[in-house]
């Protein structure tokens, strides 16, 4: 009856109290036609994966500004794999030193967005990642 | 396969099954039909009220209270879809973080996708599915409701209407629409000094009502401060009292039937509305031209009505 819309979970991982960027991105994805579930600040990997499962999202979007990405992202990916979320796209945005990008991608992060990324670029890359990883043609 | 896993309690299977149902896939609809053979047992509670009234925070408290009382709780959160992009920003779950880590809690957000009235056909389908999967308390949060968003009344057993102090006087409480549909009126943020005025206004409206309340139940008023978890236990007690009331009068099954009639109506509307949108889109140039030339608008309506009929 209706075409699948991309469903995205946007959350802040770890001890990091700044969520303006996460909200701006969540809103941009809404404007790009996606259905965005926003769960806010100071989430544990366990909480994020639980919400991602119950909501059956196509994408988990993590905002992280604390500098702890190399410690926390592996914990999140471990939890995702243990719970069977192997086909869910994982994107990370925030203050990430460029030299850490290859490391994150090697861990299993699909896209990394740095400050200055355009909102158009973010939504286009997410659509492409969903189409290739989830194997679905999406409505936007 | 997916259904068996979902029935065994596998959360990922439940979640993926719900997606197939909300998108009307053949597999989803077949499984929904299977689940509806088992559904009809859950107590379904609707929480409605204006945006920002604290519905989500209140539901967060309700989840814990029901879990403590030994229930399996399913929650459906409806948030609006954009009329422009069709996207949605769903922020209800932010008030419930961690609640889903408790056993026997399943929370699902769904965008309204063009449905008006505060609930949607898809949301009612998800209620049936969760009911069939064995959740015995199902809470549905409507979109932040306006005065006429009253569809929820025919979709649930118990309606809780959330009001907050400072949003209107007696006149608002006397109006038709949402202030008539509550089985329970919840005054949230009751630590606000104006809470007493709101209480008196709602009480006056209830005391002076000449209409017969739904099924003879006199609506109750409960004060809560959801963010501090105050009044939640009392609210659940009142919900239980209402449940016992409708059960004792044999109305429980009637409400399930009403819900399914509503679902049918909403699904039917959806089909017709799709045709209307299609006809308008296909004839937009002609319609615009006629309107510019100030031709007979009602004649135009009849003309388009015939076009709609030709698609039926």
């Amino acid at each position: 009856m209706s075409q699948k819309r991309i469903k995205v979970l946007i959350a802040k991982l770890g001890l990091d109290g700044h969520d303006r960027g996460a909200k701006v991105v969540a809103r941009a994805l809404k404007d790009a036609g996606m259905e965005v579930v926003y769960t806010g600040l100071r989430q544990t990997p366990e909480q994020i994966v639980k919400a991602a499962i119950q909501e059956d999202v196509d994408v988990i979007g993590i905002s992280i500004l604390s500098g702890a990405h190399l410690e926390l992202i592996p914990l999140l990916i471990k939890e995702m794999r243990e719970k069977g979320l192997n086909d869910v796209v994982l994107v990370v945005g925030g203050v990430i030193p460029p030299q850490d990008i290859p490391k994150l991608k090697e861990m299993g992060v699909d896209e990394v967005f740095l400050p200055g990324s355009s909102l158009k670029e973010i939504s286009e890359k997410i659509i492409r990642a969903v189409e290739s990883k989830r194997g679905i043609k999406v409505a936007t | 396969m997916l259904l068996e896993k979902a029935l065994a309690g596998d959360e990922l299977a439940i979640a993926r099954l719900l997606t197939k149902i909300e998108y009307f896939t053949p597999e989803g609809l077949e499984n929904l039909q299977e689940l509806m053979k088992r559904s009809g047992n859950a107590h379904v509670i609707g929480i409605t009220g204006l945006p920002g009234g604290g519905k989500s925070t209140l539901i967060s408290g309700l989840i814990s209270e029901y879990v403590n009382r030994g229930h399996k709780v399913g929650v459906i959160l409806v948030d609006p879809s954009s009329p422009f992009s069709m996207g949605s920003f769903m922020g209800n779950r932010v008030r419930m973080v961690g609640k889903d880590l408790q056993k026997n809690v399943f929370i699902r957000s769904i965008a309204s996708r063009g449905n008006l009235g505060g609930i949607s056909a898809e949301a009612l389908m998800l209620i049936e599915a969760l009911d069939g999967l064995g959740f015995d308390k199902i809470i549905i949060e409507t979109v932040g409701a306006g005065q006429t968003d009253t569809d929820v009344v025919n979709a649930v057993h118990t309606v809780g209407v959330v009001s907050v102090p400072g949003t209107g006087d007696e006149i608002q409480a006397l109006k038709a629409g949402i202030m008539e549909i509550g089985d329970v009126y919840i005054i949230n943020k009751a630590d606000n000094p104006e809470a007493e005025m709101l209480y008196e206004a709602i009480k006056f409206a209830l005391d002076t009502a000449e209409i017969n309340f739904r099924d003879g139940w006199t609506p109750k008023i409960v004060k809560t401060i959801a963010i501090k978890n105050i009044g939640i236990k009392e609210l659940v007690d009142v919900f239980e009292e209402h449940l016992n009331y409708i059960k004792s009068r044999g109305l429980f099954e009637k409400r399930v039937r009403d819900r399914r009639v509503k679902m049918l109506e909403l699904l039917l509307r959806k089909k017709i509305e799709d045709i209307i949108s299609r006809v308008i889109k296909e004839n937009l140039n002609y319609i615009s031209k006629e309107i510019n030339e100030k031709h007979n608008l009602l004649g135009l309506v009849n003309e388009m009505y015939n076009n709609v009929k030709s698609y039926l």
Side-chain angles (χ1 to χ4, degrees), chain B residues 108-144:
Chain B
R108 180 68 169 234
S109 315
I110 184 165
S112 63
R113 296 190 187 136
N115 294 274
L116 302 172
I119 53 165
S120 64
E122 290 91 333
L124 295 190
M125 291 161 80
L126 297 191
I127 290 180
E128 292 291 343
L130 288 176
D131 187 345
L133 287 166
F135 291 87
D136 67 333
K137 292 286 176 188
I138 298 175
I139 306 170
I140 174 159
E141 177 178 348
T142 71
V143 300

Side-chain angles (χ1 to χ4, degrees), chain A residues 14-132:
Chain A
L15 284 177
D16 172 356
H18 301 278
D19 62 351
R20 184 145 294 246
K23 285 173 181 157
V24 169
V25 170
R27 191 191 156 121
L29 297 182
K30 177 209 82 174
D31 291 338
M34 300 181 203
E35 295 184 337
V36 184
V37 178
Y38 183 73
T39 60
L41 292 169
R42 299 183 201 92
Q43 311 262 296
T44 65
E46 199 190 5
Q47 288 170 338
I48 289 171
V49 170
K50 187 72 162 189
I53 290 171
Q54 295 193 347
E55 297 289 355
D56 190 21
V57 294
D58 304 296
V59 182
I60 297 176
I62 297 299
S63 160
I64 190 160
L65 305 172
S66 65
H69 48 278
L70 292 182
E71 285 71 37
L72 292 175
I73 295 294
L75 296 177
L76 178 71
I77 291 174
K78 183 165 170 278
E79 180 75 8
M80 284 172 72
R81 289 188 179 147
E82 276 176 16
K83 297 288 157 62
L85 297 186
N86 302 310
D87 57 350
V88 172
V89 172
L90 175 62
V91 298
V92 176
V95 183
I96 314 273
Q99 66 269 27
D100 289 349
I101 295 177
K103 292 179 201 163
L104 288 171
K105 290 209 164 169
E106 204 173 308
M107 289 171 194
V109 174
D110 292 288
E111 292 288 350
V112 178
F113 300 111
L114 301 183
S117 305
S118 80
L119 295 169
K120 192 164 180 287
E121 177 201 336
I122 293 174
S123 54
E124 279 172 0
K125 282 192 172 163
I126 286 178
I127 291 169
R128 247 175 280 144
V130 168
E131 285 182 337
S132 70

Side-chain angles (χ1 to χ4, degrees), chain B residues 27-39:
Chain B
E27 188 190 354
L29 296 177
E30 198 178 302
N31 285 329
L32 178 64
Q33 203 167 340
E34 211 45 54
L35 285 170
M36 282 182 70
K37 291 179 189 161
R38 303 159 183 263
S39 70

Side-chain angles (χ1 to χ4, degrees), chain A residues 1-7 9 23 26-27 29-44 46-47 50-57 83-85 87-88 134 140, chain B residues 11-12 15-20 22-25 77 81-82 85-94 97-98 100-102 105-113 122 267 270-271 274:
Chain A
M1 223 161 162
S2 42
Q3 239 188 321
K4 177 83 178 83
R5 301 210 151 260
I6 296 180
K7 194 169 183 183
L9 178 80
K23 285 173 181 157
R27 191 191 156 121
L29 297 182
K30 177 209 82 174
D31 291 338
M34 300 181 203
E35 295 184 337
V36 184
V37 178
Y38 183 73
T39 60
L41 292 169
R42 299 183 201 92
Q43 311 262 296
T44 65
E46 199 190 5
Q47 288 170 338
K50 187 72 162 189
I53 290 171
Q54 295 193 347
E55 297 289 355
D56 190 21
V57 294
K83 297 288 157 62
L85 297 186
D87 57 350
V88 172
R134 304 273 287 176
T140 47
Chain B
E11 287 204 343
L12 192 54
R16 299 211 156 156
L17 184 57
L18 296 185
T19 303
K20 288 179 192 294
E22 67 173 275
Y23 278 102
F24 302 91
T25 69
L77 308 166
S81 294
S82 162
S85 70
M86 289 304 288
S88 179
F89 181 103
M90 299 185 275
N92 294 317
R93 202 176 179 115
V94 81
V97 166
D100 48 12
L101 295 176
Q102 305 177 81
V105 177
F106 194 97
I107 305 171
R108 180 68 169 234
S109 315
I110 184 165
S112 63
R113 296 190 187 136
E122 290 91 333
L267 287 169
K270 235 177 146 57
K271 281 184 186 287
D274 284 348

Side-chain angles (χ1 to χ4, degrees), chain B residues 34-58:
Chain B
E34 211 45 54
L35 285 170
M36 282 182 70
K37 291 179 189 161
R38 303 159 183 263
S39 70
N41 303 308
H43 177 207
V44 183
I45 300 150
I47 301 293
T48 190
L50 76 179
K55 294 186 293 299
S56 302
T57 309
L58 199 70

Side-chain angles (χ1 to χ4, degrees), chain B residues 63-91:
Chain B
I63 292 171
S64 297
E65 183 62 27
Y66 278 126
V67 168
N68 288 342
R69 295 188 189 199
H71 294 287
K72 207 173 160 187
V73 186
V75 181
I76 311 278
L77 308 166
V78 191
D79 251 337
S81 294
S82 162
F84 304 111
S85 70
M86 289 304 288
S88 179
F89 181 103
M90 299 185 275

Side-chain angles (χ1 to χ4, degrees), chain B residues 144-217:
Chain B
Q147 289 174 314
T148 58
D149 293 329
T150 53
D151 271 352
V152 69
V153 74
N154 295 312
V156 302
H157 292 100
T158 304
V159 179
V161 175
V162 180
S163 298
V164 288
T167 53
D169 56 9
E170 243 168 35
I171 302 301
Q172 300 304 332
L174 288 168
K175 283 188 180 174
I178 198 167
M179 292 311 289
E180 292 177 296
I181 64 169
D183 298 304
V184 183
Y185 290 91
I186 302 153
I187 299 179
N188 193 34
K189 311 187 187 182
D191 48 349
N192 181 309
E194 287 186 45
E196 210 48 46
M197 279 166 65
L198 180 61
Y199 179 87
E200 290 304 327
I202 296 175
K203 191 164 186 317
F204 175 73
L206 293 177
D207 287 348
T208 54
E210 290 283 339
I211 54 162
N212 290 326
F213 290 115
R214 193 157 74 127
D215 304 319
W217 160 268

